[in-house]
Amino acid sequence: MPGLTMLCAFRNPAAHARVARALSLACAAALFASGCASLAPPAPIVQSADAGAEHYRGRFSVRYEQSGEPRNTYGNFDWQQNGENAVVQLLDPLGQTQAIVRENPRSASLELPGKAPLTGPRLEDVMRDALGFALPVGGLRYWLRMQSAPGSRASIERDPQTRRPTRLTQDGWTIDYQAFFDGSPLRVRRIDLSRDLDGSPLAVRLVIDE
């Protein structure tokens, strides 16, 4: 009996933990609506001698609204950047690639399991239509360096004692710098991003592991 099984699970701490973990994984995977399918990881970006290469790995969580309903998703990410070319993997908590985002000055695409790549002139529109939310990949390239992106106005607030950045606002986004790695040069470890687009709030948290 399902009700009895759930009741016993809550009386047994070990079973409760297994049930909670299974439910959390199911909720995280629901974003991609692709069952147990996954994508093969992309090949590394070919590095050019005149462009700065960057590589970030870590965890993400997203809170957003879809059709007026609040939704949450989380997982891991792997971000490769070489000059203006970016490839971002979104992985589920089990480490399977569930989405691949590609962006360069000429095009943007989103790959999902079992589907042809989705393309469009604006990556944010492609992601929003397919996933219900969009990551500002173009701006994040600079914000992760604690810099404003070129081409639009921005403001940066700094801690008066350490001079570390605490908040950056640009293109409707608020970026809060919450933690940094020890040592030099200064590198951000956790950032929180938020935006309200046409009454639909979006909050993104990135925790960088390396």
Side-chain angles (χ1 to χ4, degrees), residues 47-92:
Q47 298 183 10
S48 58
D50 58 346
E54 298 163 271
H55 196 175
Y56 304 98
R57 290 190 180 97
R59 292 155 284 150
F60 75 91
S61 64
V62 182
R63 289 184 289 111
Y64 63 105
E65 286 188 359
Q66 190 171 38
S67 301
E69 295 293 328
R71 297 184 181 275
N72 298 274
T73 190
Y74 62 91
N76 303 316
F77 71 89
D78 185 292
W79 182 310
Q80 298 181 63
Q81 183 87 38
N82 191 45
E84 296 184 332
N85 300 311
V87 176
V88 183
Q89 291 182 75
L90 300 181
L91 303 96
D92 64 25

Side-chain angles (χ1 to χ4, degrees), residues 7-170:
L7 178 61
C8 292
F10 282 110
R11 287 179 177 174
N12 183 325
H16 182 196
R18 290 194 296 270
V19 171
R21 184 171 184 272
L23 289 174
S24 66
L25 292 177
C27 291
L31 158 69
F32 303 106
S34 57
C36 296
S38 62
L39 294 165
I45 291 181
V46 177
Q47 298 183 10
S48 58
D50 58 346
E54 298 163 271
H55 196 175
Y56 304 98
R57 290 190 180 97
R59 292 155 284 150
F60 75 91
S61 64
V62 182
R63 289 184 289 111
Y64 63 105
E65 286 188 359
Q66 190 171 38
S67 301
E69 295 293 328
R71 297 184 181 275
N72 298 274
T73 190
Y74 62 91
N76 303 316
F77 71 89
D78 185 292
W79 182 310
Q80 298 181 63
Q81 183 87 38
N82 191 45
E84 296 184 332
N85 300 311
V87 176
V88 183
Q89 291 182 75
L90 300 181
L91 303 96
D92 64 25
L94 296 178
Q96 294 185 319
T97 302
Q98 295 294 337
I100 299 175
V101 177
R102 302 179 190 271
E103 184 177 51
N104 60 54
R106 297 171 300 281
S107 65
S109 68
L110 172 66
E111 299 173 28
L112 299 172
K115 297 182 179 180
L118 305 172
T119 61
R122 278 177 40 88
L123 177 61
E124 290 194 30
D125 293 339
V126 173
M127 292 189 70
R128 189 177 298 109
D129 291 344
L131 302 179
F133 69 89
L135 298 178
V137 174
L140 267 168
R141 170 191 172 190
Y142 297 92
W143 302 338
L144 286 168
R145 298 183 199 155
M146 296 160 285
Q147 302 172 354
S148 59
S152 63
R153 287 189 173 186
S155 65
I156 301 179
E157 301 175 20
R158 298 183 181 274
D159 183 285
Q161 295 182 333
T162 65
R163 303 306 300 164
R164 288 180 172 181
T166 57
R167 171 171 288 184
L168 188 154
T169 55
Q170 187 172 25

